[in-house]
Amino acid sequence: MTYLLNDPADFAVDALRGYAAAHPEHVMLAHGGVVRSTDTPVNQPALVIGGGSGHYPAFAGWVGPGLAHGAPCGNIFSSPSASQVYSVARSAENGGGVLLGFGNYAGDVLHFGQAAEKLRAEGVDVRIIRVSDDIASGPAESHRDRRGIAGDLVVFKIAGAAIAAGADLDEAERVAWKANDATRSFGVAFEGCTLPGAGEALFHVPDGEMAIGLGIHGEPGIREVPLGTAAEVADLLLDGVLEEEPERSGAYSGRVAVVLNGLGAVKYEELFVVYARVAEQLAAKGFTVVAPEVGEHVTSLNMAGLSLSIVFLDDELEEYWLAPADAPAFRRAAAGLPSGPPRTEVHTPGEDPIPEASAESKESAALIVQVLELLRDTAAEHEEHFGRLDAVAGDGDHGQGMAYGTRGAAAGGRDAADKGAGARTVLLHAGDAWAEEAGGTSGALWGAALTAAGGVFDDARAVEAPAIADALAAGIDAVVRLGGARPGDKTMVDAALPFRDALAAEFASTADLAGSVKKAAAVAREAAEATAGITSRRGRSRILGEKSLGTPDPGAYSFSVLMDALGNFLGSPGSFTELRSETSPDKQ
């Protein structure tokens, strides 16, 4: 458990604030993360790396000369929001473009991708590196589709060294991908981690066993095997990563970088016991180890476990691996590293100006805020159940994410409405707030859905029933477009698409908005329940395969619950009821 905290919801923010206060010579706070305390040299690419909190020293601990220029940090095990990534990147960028790096997880892909789109729209050249070193999460032939674990350190260290040596953005991107493609990792766990404020670990490993192929977000392994000695664990990890050793010819001759990583509860002496065997076996197999790293580099709160990363080096990768670096959690021969002048400011999201709105649109905005507050209350009521569904084959945080997201959306929408915003602007603000508060995959998707729905409305006119139906469809289309999931992947899409189609058909027939939404929500609930018979093919739960069978997808289920609540609201007195018969099929 976590002993020292204030409010569990503020744990990540409090920790980041304390980290920045402890290392003022290296970093300063930016919106949603940290940047170097010195400006990025003019025209040097900015390496911006990040992910969820709970992994220290990844990612904030790696900000400094020779490594990263900034790190956006999300909530525990949740991606930073697009606005946080954007703000950190804006603070770090100084004419040379931005290289965004993160582990290959759906939420990070979505939020970093959204930030990249915004930066590109403003003329900033942005490249993306998705670290994918975990051999347990996919086959060798699909290496770049795997998830990222402790290989993050190696890839970002090498990319940062290339930038410090003068690489432009094209060259830095090339080197980073080269490092990623040369890196393999494998891990085991002995007990799950506990979220701050929680009284129980996310999963337990049976006594005398260990979980093979763990993730770093509280996911259990893909299978359990008997717990061996330290030497047997070392052999298991080493055999796993060496199965994908390239042929020793040409640029690669058996020189490797090694990172033995503790995940939080396995401490240094234990790691040294394991590494003694790793070093012995590597020498026996004819490898030459270059600057090994043994310690905590990418943790998972207090998870009991460890991972082994091997980088198959050529001369270029070895040079950058050995190059100087000076970050709070990773220092190597740092004397003389160039840095920029003292930083005087960081990008801070200003209060977006509220566009003029008509009185009619403001009235609609007030009703939209009531909807958002109802969704907030509904998510809070079902938080525990959503979390239990997610814990079966995921990391158990879906209930928390939905509670955080709806709470943020309601507050963001209310704040905009209080400042005179119309219907469109209220939903746009609510979408940004949902994504920022929730983080993760669901935060990005629901944030995009609200933003797309808001785009259907107008600050100059009242919201009418056909526009509400169109907005719901637009939001779902945005989820499909951004998330890339298809029916049968066991995601929110399995409930959202049937909802969209049922709503369109029913509303075209009856023009009864509330009744149409209620019937469509019932269709969505049925579709969500049917996902219990599907094996997950996307997201973190895909790694656990068969474990997801028999349990509905939490995202599909929560979607159906919120849509049912929406239908109830639309049918209640004083809430858009006058719109239900305003446009009927025979009037169109």
Side-chain angles (χ1 to χ4, degrees):
M1 63 179 293
T2 302
Y3 294 96
L4 301 174
L5 69 159
N6 298 312
D7 184 335
D10 297 331
F11 182 82
V13 173
D14 289 348
L16 189 66
R17 189 160 48 88
Y19 165 73
H23 298 285
E25 74 284 6
H26 281 96
V27 300
M28 63 188 301
L29 288 171
H31 173 64
V34 294
V35 291
R36 291 187 192 177
S37 56
T38 56
D39 280 333
T40 302
V42 176
N43 294 328
Q44 182 180 89
L47 176 61
V48 175
I49 64 175
S53 297
H55 303 303
Y56 188 84
F59 298 87
W62 301 337
V63 174
L67 245 159
H69 296 76
C73 304
N75 286 326
I76 299 296
F77 299 162
S78 293
S79 169
S81 70
S83 70
Q84 291 171 324
V85 177
Y86 171 82
S87 290
V88 171
R90 259 300 176 201
S91 298
E93 202 275 333
N94 198 15
V98 176
L99 184 63
L100 295 177
F102 50 88
N104 188 28
Y105 294 89
D108 296 292
V109 172
L110 292 170
H111 285 284
F112 278 83
Q114 287 182 36
E117 289 188 9
K118 185 173 183 179
L119 289 164
R120 288 169 183 147
E122 297 174 356
V124 178
D125 194 354
V126 181
R127 313 295 171 83
I128 290 177
I129 301 296
R130 304 182 314 276
V131 179
S132 56
D133 55 308
D134 179 24
I135 65 171
S137 61
E141 59 270 20
S142 300
H143 178 63
R144 290 193 180 182
D145 292 331
R146 291 166 162 171
R147 63 188 175 188
I149 50 175
D152 286 345
L153 170 64
V154 180
V155 175
F156 300 151
K157 165 65 182 72
I158 288 174
I163 290 171
D168 62 13
L169 191 59
D170 287 336
E171 180 68 359
E173 179 187 26
R174 179 192 67 79
V175 170
W177 276 121
K178 181 179 179 181
N180 179 75
D181 294 343
T183 303
R184 300 293 187 275
S185 300
F186 191 30
V188 300
F190 316 117
E191 182 66 351
C193 61
T194 305
L195 296 175
E200 184 72 18
L202 289 174
F203 70 92
H204 296 286
V205 178
D207 290 342
E209 297 186 0
M210 58 183 177
I212 303 296
L214 75 156
I216 58 169
H217 295 94
E219 311 98 321
I222 56 177
R223 68 181 188 277
E224 284 87 32
V225 300
L227 174 62
T229 64
E232 289 168 340
V233 171
D235 290 348
L236 183 148
L237 296 174
L238 193 58
D239 289 346
V241 293
L242 293 184
E243 283 183 4
E244 297 185 20
E245 181 192 7
E247 182 180 352
R248 298 190 192 185
S249 62
Y252 171 66
S253 61
R255 297 179 69 81
V256 293
V258 180
V259 176
L260 187 65
N261 175 62
L263 282 149
V266 174
K267 306 314 293 182
Y268 280 73
E269 286 86 351
E270 294 174 273
L271 293 174
F272 290 138
V273 172
V274 173
Y275 186 71
R277 176 67 172 186
V278 170
E280 175 187 273
Q281 289 295 93
L282 285 170
K285 297 175 185 293
F287 290 92
T288 300
V289 177
V290 177
E293 292 287 338
V294 180
E296 294 182 348
H297 296 287
V298 182
T299 60
S300 184
L301 292 174
N302 62 339
M303 182 184 284
L306 72 162
S307 64
L308 176 68
S309 300
I310 297 286
V311 191
F312 304 108
L313 299 170
D314 63 7
D315 290 344
E316 180 182 45
L317 294 180
E318 181 175 346
E319 176 186 354
Y320 290 140
W321 175 238
L322 292 174
D326 182 20
F330 192 95
R331 293 188 172 106
R332 179 174 290 159
L337 274 173
S339 63
R343 186 179 296 278
T344 57
E345 61 181 4
V346 297
H347 175 271
T348 302
E351 290 195 355
D352 296 331
I354 301 295
E356 291 289 332
S358 68
E360 294 79 8
S361 187
K362 290 179 182 178
E363 290 178 3
S364 296
L367 292 173
I368 290 171
V369 171
Q370 292 182 41
V371 171
L372 294 171
E373 291 174 342
L374 173 64
L375 298 184
R376 175 200 63 198
D377 296 343
T378 303
E381 178 185 351
H382 292 83
E383 178 180 355
E384 184 177 348
H385 183 53
F386 293 163
R388 285 199 302 269
L389 290 177
D390 191 35
V392 173
D395 54 14
D397 70 344
H398 183 68
Q400 183 183 80
M402 292 297 290
Y404 286 176
T406 52
R407 185 179 66 193
R414 170 67 68 183
D415 181 66
D418 288 346
K419 294 174 181 176
R424 178 181 186 276
T425 299
V426 161
L427 267 183
L428 295 182
H429 280 242
D432 286 345
W434 190 317
E436 177 141 352
E437 288 296 319
T441 304
S442 68
L445 295 178
W446 276 99
L450 265 63
T451 300
V456 175
F457 296 157
D458 194 318
D459 287 334
R461 292 189 296 272
V463 171
E464 298 180 349
I468 295 176
D470 290 344
L472 289 167
I476 291 167
D477 289 344
V479 168
V480 175
R481 182 174 62 252
L482 184 62
R486 299 178 180 180
D489 283 344
K490 196 165 188 174
T491 69
M492 179 168 67
V493 166
D494 287 305
L497 285 180
F499 174 90
R500 182 197 65 183
D501 296 343
L503 173 62
E506 186 68 21
F507 186 65
S509 173
T510 67
D512 177 0
L513 180 63
S516 298
V517 171
K518 283 290 290 182
K519 289 184 178 180
V523 170
R525 174 65 66 87
E526 184 178 352
E529 296 286 359
T531 62
I534 302 174
T535 299
S536 181
R537 297 203 297 256
R538 294 185 69 87
R540 294 175 190 166
S541 60
R542 69 180 173 84
I543 307 300
L544 302 177
E546 300 297 325
K547 286 190 176 182
S548 68
L549 277 175
T551 302
D553 176 70
Y557 186 85
S558 62
F559 173 86
S560 71
V561 170
L562 295 195
M563 290 305 98
D564 184 65
L566 174 62
N568 290 335
F569 179 88
L570 293 173
S572 62
S575 57
F576 295 111
T577 51
E578 68 278 9
L579 304 177
R580 287 179 290 159
S581 59
E582 199 160 302
T583 305
S584 59
D586 59 351
K587 294 180 182 179
Q588 296 180 14

